[in-house]
Amino acid sequence: MNIEVSQLAKLPTTHGDFLIQSFKEPHPKGLKEHLVIFTKDLEDIPTVRIHSECLTGDAIGSIKCDCQAQLNYALDFIDDNSGMVIYLRQEGRDIGLFNKINAYALQDKGFDTCEANLKLGFKDDERTYEIVDFIFDYYKIDKIKLMTNNPAKLGGLKVDVIDRVEVKVGKTPQNSEYLRVKKDKMDHLL
Ligand SMILES: [Zn+2]
């Protein structure tokens, strides 16, 4: 993989003062510019949240899903405890923003989040995590504590996951069905 790494910059946020760096990945679905946000004092075994982009949640505040609440929780958590958020540009479980909106339209007609993606001709989850291995190599991290409710993420990484940190936030009346599908069909622990 021919991955480019940006300079390291400071990023003051409402959650705390972080460092930020971008990783540019040539990808079959187009060039992807990922972000890594981390605290200045990074522990040898850092707490890491791997967050996949959700523009409607992260930026617009959609409560169809729990993405913004999880991202905010992760940024607050690493500010308090030290750690890293890897922000992957794989919108809509990597079907892309345009297709995600079409999937939302199908969900409005009664299909669940998995059925809608399948109906559009995609897998229910198209995401890949090779770039994450590259990022950990880059920072010479070989052991982490992973912030996740998704046990499938625990096995797919090259690093040793020595502990799991739960993220139990973001439940709303509007996303209870979405979270039920994540729990029942995608083996999330909620
Ligand atoms: Zn979302």
Side-chain angles (χ1 to χ4, degrees), residues 168-186:
K168 288 204 170 179
V169 289
K171 284 186 188 168
T172 66
Q174 291 85 353
N175 69 20
S176 61
E177 180 58 19
Y178 167 80
L179 294 177
R180 189 194 63 76
V181 172
K182 281 220 288 198
K183 185 174 192 297
D184 293 351
K185 289 197 173 176
M186 303 170 85

Side-chain angles (χ1 to χ4, degrees), residues 33-37 49-55 58-59 71 85-91 135:
E33 296 176 321
H34 307 287
L35 293 174
V36 180
I37 300 119
R49 171 72 183 165
I50 299 169
H51 184 90
S52 292
E53 175 182 27
C54 173
L55 191 78
D58 298 340
L71 179 62
V85 172
I86 298 176
Y87 191 98
L88 297 179
R89 303 292 303 285
Q90 35 189 6
E91 175 71 52
I135 288 167

Side-chain angles (χ1 to χ4, degrees), residues 54 57 65 67:
C54 173
C65 53
C67 302

